[in-house]
Amino acid sequence: MQKHDRSNMQEVWEKLVGFGIKPMGSDNLQRAGEYLYQVMAEICDQVEIHQYQVPCWEVKDWRLEDQNGKEIKSYLFLESGSSEKFEGYVEFAGYHRVWDMYVWRRYKIVDAEGTICAYITVRENEGAIPQMLFAKSDLPHFMVGSKEEAILKEAEKSRALLRGFAETKINKSGYCRNLSGEIGEGREKVILCAHYDTVYSTVGAYDNAAGTAVVLETARQLTQYGLNKKIEILLTDGEEFNLKGARFRAAEEQGDISFVLNIDGVGREDMLEVWCGPETFERKVRAVLDKSKEKFIPRYICPPPPGSDHAPFYEKGIPVCMLTFNDQGILHTPEDIIEKSKLRNMEKMVRLNLELLERIGVIQRDTD
């Protein structure tokens, strides 16, 4: 990349993080989208904002505590229900399936009359973070980390009470806003995408301000190449809310999409996760990455897990590839902040994007 490209990408990254926590439907996210629109307009043709009115879940406050009033570290699941207060005994309730990727132990809080008044899911081998609920519960549903499960088990054994509350609401007049622009011409195209929203607990420097900045810098670099296919630059809203923006976009698509390249998370680690499918397309991607001069540890997963914006397109039979330098230690946490060390992997991701696009035949070096 050119000398000044890092500063362009870094500026976008830092400004996007500077808008703060950006859940779907929030004022912060709308301001971030307006800024990104201006950046895209300098790079792409026919930049548009696609707006969809959707109910947006919001959280104000929550607490889970033991019978002595000591707080148990927790987060509410997105789409958790609300309760001014609850109190009850802990009982094992089976298992909770999250993103069709994880199956975690679930507990229930039962009051003196035997009525369930809240749920608690334990994130296996990790700390608590917000995630989508999918169960459409009208009751509070908390996530705790694996260390906190010891508290639940002891309370279950001793019949100790747990208490708490959850303040959530649904904004029925909320919006989901995607941004899209085009580079090049032709009927057949490739979609290069990233999401710019966050969950309610983090500014999301790694997930996914870094991915958004990488996609825009990749788009900027394409001016140095000839294009054999049109490339759509797509920045989605609502990824953290069951891929809402990507689902809207995939449902509308009537064109000829060669494949979708999704960038979701550029963290500090050296392992590059490659979520790719079908196998015929994975072999093309693998042939490029296995011969790349960039330094990383590849981890191929096929078929691709469903937890990011490539999934709605893959469900339609479109080949997809998601790339991420995963950083599970800070995912969805307040610790996901600006760290200059991430820029090394962000620069590397741009180079990998361009290498993939070139060697698969989407772009070619401009010899003029």
Side-chain angles (χ1 to χ4, degrees):
M1 295 190 291
Q2 299 175 345
K3 288 184 179 180
H4 300 295
D5 292 331
R6 174 172 178 156
S7 62
N8 288 330
M9 182 168 60
Q10 183 173 345
E11 179 181 357
V12 171
W13 183 42
E14 292 178 346
K15 284 192 175 183
L16 189 53
V17 172
F19 287 105
I21 296 171
K22 301 173 286 297
M24 187 178 71
S26 66
D27 291 341
N28 283 354
L29 189 64
Q30 181 173 352
R31 287 191 286 269
E34 292 168 353
Y35 164 70
L36 291 171
Y37 178 89
Q38 296 173 359
V39 175
M40 290 182 69
E42 298 175 356
I43 303 171
C44 305
D45 298 323
Q46 302 180 34
V47 179
E48 297 179 340
I49 297 176
H50 302 273
Q51 182 168 284
Y52 315 89
Q53 187 167 359
V54 295
C56 293
W57 179 88
E58 299 176 3
V59 58
K60 182 178 180 181
D61 200 6
W62 72 95
R63 184 178 176 88
L64 181 66
E65 61 184 35
D66 66 18
Q67 65 178 0
N68 298 315
K70 183 178 180 181
E71 183 172 9
I72 301 170
K73 184 176 181 180
S74 65
Y75 284 102
L76 286 175
F77 277 87
L78 279 68
E79 287 197 322
S80 166
S82 187
S83 175
E84 290 186 6
K85 61 180 179 179
F86 61 84
E87 178 180 88
Y89 304 101
V90 179
E91 296 179 3
F92 183 68
Y95 296 88
H96 182 189
R97 180 166 52 86
V98 180
W99 280 117
D100 284 335
M101 297 165 63
Y102 315 107
V103 178
W104 294 331
R105 288 180 294 280
R106 183 172 64 137
Y107 293 81
K108 57 186 177 181
I109 306 298
V110 180
D111 67 17
E113 287 73 39
T115 301
I116 298 174
C117 50
Y119 292 97
I120 305 172
T121 289
V122 179
R123 186 184 181 209
E124 187 175 344
N125 300 320
E126 299 282 357
I129 60 172
Q131 283 284 21
M132 272 299 298
L133 181 59
F134 299 109
K136 304 293 184 183
S137 179
D138 58 342
L139 298 177
H141 201 139
F142 298 85
M143 181 188 288
V144 300
S146 57
K147 292 181 180 179
E148 285 71 36
E149 187 174 18
I151 300 173
L152 304 183
K153 288 182 175 180
E154 177 57 32
E156 182 180 25
K157 181 179 179 181
S158 65
R159 297 295 287 172
L161 291 170
L162 264 61
R163 304 181 180 91
F165 68 88
E167 295 182 48
T168 71
K169 69 175 185 178
I170 300 295
N171 177 8
K172 295 183 179 180
S173 59
Y175 286 93
C176 174
R177 298 177 175 92
N178 292 339
L179 289 77
S180 68
E182 297 180 348
I183 301 175
E185 299 178 347
R187 183 177 64 85
E188 192 174 5
K189 67 180 175 183
V190 169
I191 294 179
L192 175 59
C193 68
H195 74 90
Y196 69 101
D197 64 307
T198 72
V199 292
Y200 62 85
S201 56
T202 182
V203 297
Y206 140 66
D207 179 26
N208 189 35
T212 300
V214 162
V215 164
L216 291 174
E217 183 55 41
T218 303
R220 194 187 303 273
Q221 290 286 318
L222 290 173
T223 60
Q224 304 173 36
Y225 293 80
L227 272 66
N228 300 321
K229 298 178 182 179
K230 182 165 59 178
I231 298 179
E232 177 182 342
I233 305 301
L234 174 64
L235 303 181
T236 63
D237 184 359
E239 189 272 351
E240 302 291 3
F241 204 88
N242 195 15
L243 320 179
K244 189 71 72 175
R247 293 191 190 282
F248 280 125
R249 177 66 187 84
E252 294 173 342
E253 181 55 47
Q254 300 296 325
D256 189 356
I257 302 176
S258 295
F259 64 89
V260 173
L261 178 57
N262 176 31
I263 310 301
D264 191 0
V266 187
R268 303 159 298 178
E269 307 301 331
D270 292 325
M271 179 173 289
L272 178 69
E273 291 197 9
V274 185
W275 300 9
C276 200
E279 287 183 342
T280 51
F281 184 60
E282 187 209 28
R283 288 197 293 272
K284 292 181 180 180
V285 171
R286 186 186 289 264
V288 175
L289 295 180
D290 284 353
K291 295 180 180 179
S292 176
K293 295 181 180 179
E294 301 292 339
K295 293 184 178 180
F296 58 89
I297 303 168
R299 182 171 184 257
Y300 296 97
I301 306 176
C302 180
S308 189
D309 278 338
H310 57 276
F313 297 96
Y314 188 66
E315 290 168 4
K316 294 187 69 171
I318 298 168
V320 301
C321 176
M322 191 201 80
L323 300 179
T324 178
F325 283 106
N326 217 330
D327 212 333
Q328 287 289 318
I330 59 175
L331 176 70
H332 292 188
T333 71
E335 287 71 44
D336 183 6
I337 58 175
I338 291 284
E339 296 174 89
K340 294 301 194 305
S341 60
K342 297 185 179 77
L343 280 167
R344 175 181 61 87
N345 275 348
M346 291 168 67
E347 291 179 315
K348 186 181 297 184
M349 189 73 88
V350 173
R351 294 193 296 268
L352 287 170
N353 287 344
L354 294 170
E355 187 175 9
L356 273 171
L357 292 171
E358 182 177 9
R359 292 190 57 192
I360 291 177
V362 178
I363 62 176
Q364 59 188 21
R365 294 189 180 276
D366 196 338
T367 58
D368 294 339

